[in-house]
Amino acid sequence: MSFERDFAGGLLHAGSSDAIGTITINNPDRKNAVTAAMWRAIPQAVRVLTDEAHAHVIILRGTGADFSAGADIREFDHVRKDAETAVAYEALNSHAFTAIRHCRVPTIAAIRGICYGGGFGLAAACDLRIAEQGARFSIPAARLGIAYPADAVQDIVNALGSQMAKVALFTGAPMSSEKMAAAGFLLEEIEADSFDAEVSALAHAIAANAPIALHASKLALRAVIEKDGDLLREAEVIGAETFDSEDYAEGRAAFAARRKPHFTGK
């Protein structure tokens, strides 16, 4: 089943096919800078892909040559002009990061070109990150005289490690995909000719598995990373439910018949 929907006047696109959802930042004339309307729409896009399109995995990517240059600075004189407006604007950022971080299905950031500022935060909130060789990464908030959202900093430390996160936030200097892969931020960096195929292969490998099992695993991983006992107990409950699921019966039957399972999330 295919699914397509535009948000923020077409600047954000959600689509799904073969249980693989895609959120595309579609503002290439601005290097996929994210407007306030786009920040607001990201949680909506995540929700429709999981609840309506029933995606088993979501890929986050940008149109064209770049992932995202981050927040659209042209709006700052209006949406981030002082402390009061900045608080409201950063709430939009936080809701977007949280929607990706807490998404019930695994998320993959497919990164080409520039991955700066808020774009970096979106990538850090994803479960997995793959970059095309030559991609460039930076968090230039300090150079603009502003602080990076605290919840996004947590994602960055978890994904990049504390030492490299400090360098990124303190200097704002660009970093290469090679350095980011060495730091563990990236699962791998891929040559341009095979980038799309590698991203697709990873997404298909995830989407082929049982959704309830994936959800339980993601909750357990979050619980360990966030040191959250309540979340761990929730993961244990959902994990136990898998043994009464139709997908578990299907998995056993498929294994016995030496065929690929067809999971429905039930």
Side-chain angles (χ1 to χ4, degrees):
M1 181 182 72
S2 295
F3 175 94
E4 303 282 341
R5 186 172 298 177
D6 283 330
F7 298 87
L11 294 178
L12 195 76
H13 178 77
S16 179
S17 180
D18 297 328
I20 297 173
T22 302
I23 296 176
T24 304
I25 305 168
N26 186 34
N27 192 13
D29 291 342
R30 295 283 299 162
K31 295 187 178 297
N32 292 322
V34 184
T35 65
M38 294 161 72
W39 286 116
R40 188 177 293 109
I42 287 172
Q44 301 171 32
V46 171
R47 186 166 53 253
V48 299
L49 286 177
T50 55
D51 295 354
E52 297 181 30
H54 306 296
H56 294 185
V57 61
I58 294 175
I59 301 169
L60 179 64
R61 67 192 321 152
T63 295
D66 296 300
F67 181 74
S68 174
D72 192 338
I73 297 176
R74 293 185 305 179
E75 294 187 322
F76 281 14
D77 286 346
H78 172 62
V79 301
R80 215 175 189 179
K81 64 183 179 180
D82 53 27
E84 182 179 356
T85 56
V87 167
Y89 183 84
E90 290 202 359
L92 296 179
N93 296 168
S94 180
H95 293 156
F97 297 140
T98 299
I100 294 171
R101 184 189 314 117
H102 293 180
C103 178
R104 63 179 291 113
V105 306
T107 52
I108 303 168
I111 303 164
R112 278 192 168 104
I114 289 174
C115 180
Y116 282 9
F120 195 114
L122 290 170
C126 289
D127 296 304
L128 302 170
R129 291 163 292 278
I130 298 180
E132 187 177 278
Q133 288 180 347
R136 301 183 304 285
F137 301 80
S138 176
I139 308 174
R143 294 185 176 188
L144 294 172
I146 56 177
Y148 206 71
D151 58 337
V153 171
Q154 178 179 332
D155 290 331
I156 291 165
V157 171
N158 288 335
L160 189 55
S162 63
Q163 185 85 322
M164 286 295 293
K166 290 172 184 177
V167 170
L169 287 161
F170 292 166
T171 70
M175 294 174 287
S176 67
S177 58
E178 182 180 11
K179 178 175 284 190
M180 298 299 279
F185 184 79
L186 299 175
L187 176 63
E188 55 186 326
E189 50 171 351
I190 306 293
E191 293 182 359
D193 290 347
S194 56
F195 180 73
D196 287 334
E198 292 285 347
V199 172
S200 178
L202 177 61
H204 277 89
I206 294 171
N209 292 322
I212 302 174
L214 290 173
H215 182 42
S217 294
K218 179 159 181 177
L219 282 179
L221 287 163
R222 277 185 51 213
V224 172
I225 292 169
E226 298 173 15
K227 297 180 175 60
D228 188 325
D230 290 338
L231 197 59
L232 184 60
R233 284 184 283 276
E234 183 181 349
E236 289 171 346
V237 170
I238 294 176
E241 290 174 354
T242 63
F243 294 104
D244 289 327
S245 69
E246 294 178 14
D247 279 352
Y248 178 46
E250 166 63 9
R252 299 197 314 275
F255 181 83
R258 297 183 179 181
R259 61 172 174 80
K260 290 183 179 181
H262 176 68
F263 296 120
T264 62
K266 300 179 180 178

